[in-house]
Amino acid sequence: MNVLVINCGSSSLRFQLIDPRSRRLLQKGIVERIGAVSSVATVGMEDKPVRHGVQAADHREALQWVLENIQRNAADSVEIQAVGHRVVHGGERFHDSVLIDEEVIDAIREAFDLAPLHNPANLEGILAAVRLLPEIPHVAVFDTAFHMTIPRTAYLYALPPRLYRRYRVRRYGFHGTSHYFVSRRLFDISELSRENSRVITCHLGNGASMAAVLNGRSIDTSMGLTPLPGLVMGTRCGDVDPSIIFYLIEKEEMSLNEVHSLLNRYSGLLGLSGFAADMRLLLEEAEKGDRRCQEAIEVFCYQARGFLGRYFAVLNGCDAIVFTAGIGENSPEIRRRVCSGLENLGVRLDPERNQEAAGKEMKISADDSRVQVWAIPTNEELVIAIDAQKIAETAKQTPWV
Ligand code: ADP
């Protein structure tokens, strides 16, 4: 079976063609600058990407190009049997992946207010794909779904409860597909069993979040109503005192839009360093002695360590910590710094294993470490493909024909 996995941003469309049964990635790529005078598509695996100039006025034209390109690149004609769509916000309604029908589309639209940067783009992708491939099942996989097991005490904010009743203002959490994947993978490759396990998953990429996973279920996570709070991110501020917003409006005479943009696009590692959001570049400059880059990295690691401590408390101890995503998978230096000073909590890295684990699935803790520490590459697309396959197989017919 071939599943096309689609992840749409406001001007981008990422895709992977996966056979979920063999877990094989067949093709992948991204179309960027959708809606601009000329768009750019990059297709193929990391070692030999090929770039194309593309005319894509909207997501539908981008997807049309992708579908034609998939056929061009395959030896035989490719039959796509299902499409899996990444959807960022499922509100409180979706605890699992679902077959997309009109009702699901309405619910994704209802969550626009909760994720104004993401859900509209995700829906664009769904509508384009349903129009181009109406005869096959389309499945939505939500970033929030894995966190729907978080108990009420952990998801309620200390605000008047009518705000939750009326507007569903609460902690949701994101990167759920990634936290789910790496926690399940840990049970596959370690001797830990899901029952009786206390795991902290650290998704450290451009966006960053952590989750406390008890017996395989998420019971707390660092993001909230939106993906803005929690850890320091590439351009997002993570946790800040909400009063800062009022202070900025008053002192700098900023509009709400400007504050929104400051916190989402010009803060985090970029804001602190005044140089870059990209951890690789920051590590390089820090090494050369740039003080602001050094400080940005220190704040990033300090915040992450603080959340580890918090989840040790939430879980009443910890059996394993898992690092994943761009930084978590690839940076021994950041993992070392995040875990440093946690010896009294039973965390001891093995420096050589840590160094060796760059983009590899590996245990990186010392043999005498009470807490196991792992680096596990995430694979959100595979989860989406597997869910789409399962749901497509049970769907009698698609709602679109
Ligand atoms: P996204 O949230 O966009 O999916 P990724 O998970 O791809 O982000 O993570 C991107 C981040 O990972 C960037 O900050 C990048 O610098 C960082 N990164 C990738 N490789 C390395 C590396 N070898 N060392 C340090 N950071 C890395």
Side-chain angles (χ1 to χ4, degrees), residues 93 103-114 119:
R93 172 158 169 188
E103 221 188 312
V104 171
I105 285 183
D106 286 345
I108 294 170
R109 207 176 266 122
E110 274 164 32
F112 273 15
D113 284 350
L114 293 171
N119 270 34

Side-chain angles (χ1 to χ4, degrees), residues 250-265:
E250 203 180 304
K251 294 284 177 195
E252 296 242 315
E253 297 185 2
M254 291 173 99
S255 69
L256 275 181
N257 266 343
E258 285 167 337
V259 177
H260 186 271
S261 174
L262 174 82
L263 301 181
N264 278 284
R265 302 209 272 143

Side-chain angles (χ1 to χ4, degrees), residues 205-207 277-280 283 325-327 330-331:
N206 226 338
D278 191 296
M279 185 58 93
R280 256 172 311 196
L283 285 164
I327 300 169
N330 296 303
S331 178

Side-chain angles (χ1 to χ4, degrees), residues 37-245:
V37 180
S38 66
S39 314
V40 184
T42 312
V43 293
M45 304 303 166
E46 275 82 6
D47 49 346
K48 43 178 179 185
V50 182
R51 281 163 73 86
H52 302 266
V54 176
Q55 292 296 322
D58 54 25
H59 285 80
R60 184 177 167 171
E61 287 184 18
L63 184 59
Q64 178 79 50
W65 185 88
V66 166
L67 294 173
E68 286 162 13
N69 192 261
I70 285 175
Q71 299 300 347
R72 266 198 301 275
N73 282 344
D76 303 311
S77 119
V78 177
E79 197 188 339
I80 298 170
Q81 279 107 343
V83 184
H85 296 267
R86 178 189 182 210
V87 180
V88 166
H89 216 309
E92 278 192 318
R93 172 158 169 188
F94 297 107
H95 293 226
D96 283 305
S97 306
V98 287
L99 183 70
I100 298 175
D101 58 16
E102 289 290 356
E103 221 188 312
V104 171
I105 285 183
D106 286 345
I108 294 170
R109 207 176 266 122
E110 274 164 32
F112 273 15
D113 284 350
L114 293 171
L117 301 177
H118 297 100
N119 270 34
N122 299 155
L123 188 58
E124 278 282 313
I126 291 174
L127 295 175
V130 163
R131 251 178 265 138
L132 290 170
L133 300 165
E135 68 289 351
I136 59 174
H138 292 253
V139 170
V141 180
F142 299 92
D143 261 27
T144 43
F146 181 58
H147 299 303
M148 282 294 110
T149 45
I150 291 177
R152 190 174 158 90
T153 320
Y155 73 62
L156 279 184
Y157 290 122
L159 294 168
R162 72 183 161 80
L163 298 178
Y164 172 56
R165 282 200 305 273
R166 272 194 210 158
Y167 309 113
R168 299 285 135 192
V169 170
R170 53 163 281 183
R171 178 189 306 282
Y172 289 92
F174 300 86
H175 295 141
T177 318
S178 176
H179 292 291
Y180 167 81
F181 176 83
V182 295
S183 58
R184 288 301 181 276
R185 188 77 197 133
L186 174 72
F187 303 133
D188 285 346
I189 58 179
S190 71
E191 72 283 5
L192 276 178
S193 72
R194 184 178 153 178
E195 295 73 36
N196 268 322
S197 62
R198 299 161 301 176
V199 177
I200 302 173
T201 47
C202 310
H203 178 109
L204 307 181
N206 226 338
S209 69
M210 282 197 197
V213 182
L214 181 65
N215 304 333
R217 291 150 72 94
S218 172
I219 61 162
D220 204 352
T221 191
S222 58
M223 285 178 167
L225 174 78
T226 70
L228 184 58
L231 304 171
V232 174
M233 304 181 219
T235 63
R236 282 174 248 159
C237 58
D239 280 351
V240 295
D241 178 346
S243 302
I244 291 171
I245 295 170

